[in-house]
């Protein structure tokens, strides 16, 4: 079998971002500039890098973007007040509170405080419920990005066996619902799943979102399957590796995402997409 075709997330994300830029220009010409505010608490170095990347992508798309930097000693009440003010500010279309928050802050309560219309991460109870009910709402960025990767390669979900590894609210569970909405037959695996290899082996599409470097072996993959690797694992040598053993998996898969350069770049593109949708709604169309 010839090696899998690569799903180039970097290129697809660049395409999506340039489409967003074009659509944003139309809104800007009507007097509404999409506006994103990132709330960053404390000084986690990785979070600073993520925020810088989001900031850069938003600026490139023509958005207004600003970071509210708060100290690591910020109280729950102060953070909720900041979110409340951003909720009230009509010039703000998207609010993102960068995770993780410093210890002692209740992340769930902060997410719950965000206006669902401005919840461009798609994590508030209202948006989670909208996804489960099949109603309009902001979809979580990483799983929505996975769907775009499949769509742009015409990899259909309908009637296919999809296996999702990981059941987080950020990736696994929302992808389960998105795939179900597309008429896939979905299995979700987690740390208590027995015989993970056998579960993965029946998948036409595998989405790995676990956080364990190289967990998924190439021998588990059904020949020709599409493999989306969400995992970001930093190795001791500083390199980033996914949850899938790329070299062995690419020998059996039909399609595969690299790490880095696969799912990762799509997350920011979908964040911009949600912010644009929010701005368009605020502009009345
Ligand atoms: P998470 O909240 O830690 O969830 C991990 C999930 O993996 C849990 O459901 C856990 O099962 C399951 N799991 C752990 N060990 C397992 C095993 N041996 N076999 C099967 N399942 C196992 O992680 P997350 O936030 O979803 O993130 C997952 C990975 O994706 C991480 O590497 C993260 O860095 C990455 N990520 C990437 C992006 C991106 O933009 N590309 C975005 C978000 C996350 P239990 O529920 O039973 O504990």
């Amino acid at each position: 079998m010839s090696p899998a075709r690569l799903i180039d997330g970097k290129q697809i994300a660049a395409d999506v971002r340039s489409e967003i830029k074009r659509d944003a220009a139309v809104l800007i010409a009507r007097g509404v500039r999409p506006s994103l505010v990132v709330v960053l608490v404390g000084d986690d170095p990785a979070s600073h890098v993520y925020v810088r990347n989001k900031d850069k992508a938003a600026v490139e798309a023509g958005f207004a973007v600003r970071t509210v930097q708060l100290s690591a000693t910020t109280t729950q009440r102060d953070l909720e007040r900041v979110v409340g003010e951003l909720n009230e500010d009509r010039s703000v279309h998207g609010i993102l509170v960068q995770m993780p928050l410093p210890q002692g802050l209740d992340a769930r309560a902060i997410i719950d405080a965000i206006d669902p219309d401005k919840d461009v991460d798609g994590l508030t109870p209202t948006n989670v419920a909208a996804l489960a009910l099949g109603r309009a709402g902001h979809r979580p960025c990483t799983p929505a990005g996975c769907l775009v990767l499949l769509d742009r390669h015409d990899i259909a979900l309908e009637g296919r066996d999809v296996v999702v590894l990981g059941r987080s609210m950020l990736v696994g569970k929302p992808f389960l619902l998105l795939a179900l909405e597309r008429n896939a037959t979905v299995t979700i695996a987690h740390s208590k799943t027995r015989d993970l290899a056998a579960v993965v082996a029946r998948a036409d599409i595998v989405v790995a979102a676990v956080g364990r470097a190289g967990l998924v072996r190439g021998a588990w993959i059904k020949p020709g399957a599409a493999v989306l690797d969400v995992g970001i694992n930093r190795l001791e040598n500083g390199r980033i590796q996914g949850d899938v053993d790329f070299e062995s998996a690419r020998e059996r898969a039909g399609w595969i995402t690299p790490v880095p350069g696969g799912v990762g770049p799509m997350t920011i593109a979908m964040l911009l997409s949600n912010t644009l949708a929010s701005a368009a709604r605020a502009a009345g169309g």
Side-chain angles (χ1 to χ4, degrees):
M1 217 182 141
S2 52
R5 278 170 284 185
L6 276 192
I7 299 177
D8 185 349
K10 218 167 149 184
Q11 182 58 51
I12 295 174
D15 294 346
V16 170
R17 292 207 316 267
S18 77
E19 290 156 21
I20 289 169
K21 182 175 182 171
R22 187 196 57 208
D23 293 348
V26 175
L27 267 189
I28 293 165
R30 286 170 49 200
V32 178
R33 184 178 295 275
S35 154
L36 173 67
V37 175
V38 181
V39 180
L40 178 56
V41 188
D43 29 49
D44 176 52
S47 292
H48 276 266
V49 174
Y50 292 141
V51 169
R52 258 203 311 279
N53 290 341
K54 287 167 186 169
D55 193 280
K56 188 164 165 268
V59 168
E60 274 171 18
F63 290 17
V65 57
R66 100 184 132 88
T67 302
V68 176
Q69 168 75 66
L70 302 172
S71 86
T73 55
T74 301
T75 63
Q76 185 80 17
R77 187 192 284 195
D78 282 346
L79 185 50
E80 285 178 16
R81 187 179 44 75
V82 167
V83 168
E85 284 168 8
L86 294 171
N87 285 342
E88 294 303 316
D89 184 341
R90 288 168 61 91
S91 72
V92 173
H93 305 118
I95 303 168
L96 182 150
V97 178
Q98 182 64 44
M99 299 293 161
L101 292 174
Q103 272 199 341
L105 291 174
D106 178 350
R108 190 65 248 178
I110 297 296
I111 292 169
D112 291 358
I114 300 171
D115 176 347
D117 286 341
K118 300 186 181 188
D119 163 34
V120 285
D121 257 343
L123 299 175
T124 57
T126 303
N127 282 318
V128 172
L131 172 58
L133 293 165
R135 292 185 184 157
H138 292 303
R139 303 306 191 219
C141 299
T142 303
C146 290
L147 212 54
V148 172
L149 291 178
L150 294 171
D151 287 346
R152 298 262 165 151
H153 283 292
D154 292 324
I155 301 168
L157 285 106
E158 184 156 321
R160 315 291 292 281
D161 280 315
V162 172
V163 171
V164 184
L165 277 66
R167 54 176 162 179
S168 72
M169 291 307 298
L170 199 59
V171 191
K173 274 188 199 161
F175 191 82
L176 164 98
L177 291 165
L178 288 167
L180 205 54
E181 205 168 55
R182 294 289 196 87
N183 298 321
T185 302
V186 195
T187 302
I188 196 153
H190 45 76
S191 68
K192 305 290 187 287
T193 297
R194 287 189 206 152
D195 200 353
L196 195 59
V199 173
V200 171
R202 59 173 190 255
D204 300 308
I205 298 169
V206 181
V207 175
V210 170
R212 283 177 197 248
L215 172 77
V216 179
R217 317 303 305 172
W220 302 1
I221 306 290
K222 181 172 171 177
V227 178
L228 301 188
D229 190 351
V230 181
I232 301 177
N233 307 291
R234 190 171 286 280
L235 305 180
E236 273 179 11
N237 63 11
R239 283 188 42 225
I240 303 285
Q241 199 195 334
D243 290 344
V244 177
D245 181 50
F246 182 81
E247 289 308 327
S248 62
R250 74 180 307 193
E251 294 303 322
R252 286 171 70 91
W255 296 94
I256 192 164
T257 57
V259 176
V263 175
M266 293 305 294
T267 300
I268 292 182
M270 301 321 289
L271 174 72
L272 299 183
S273 171
N274 281 343
T275 306
L276 178 71
S278 179
R281 212 170 25 248

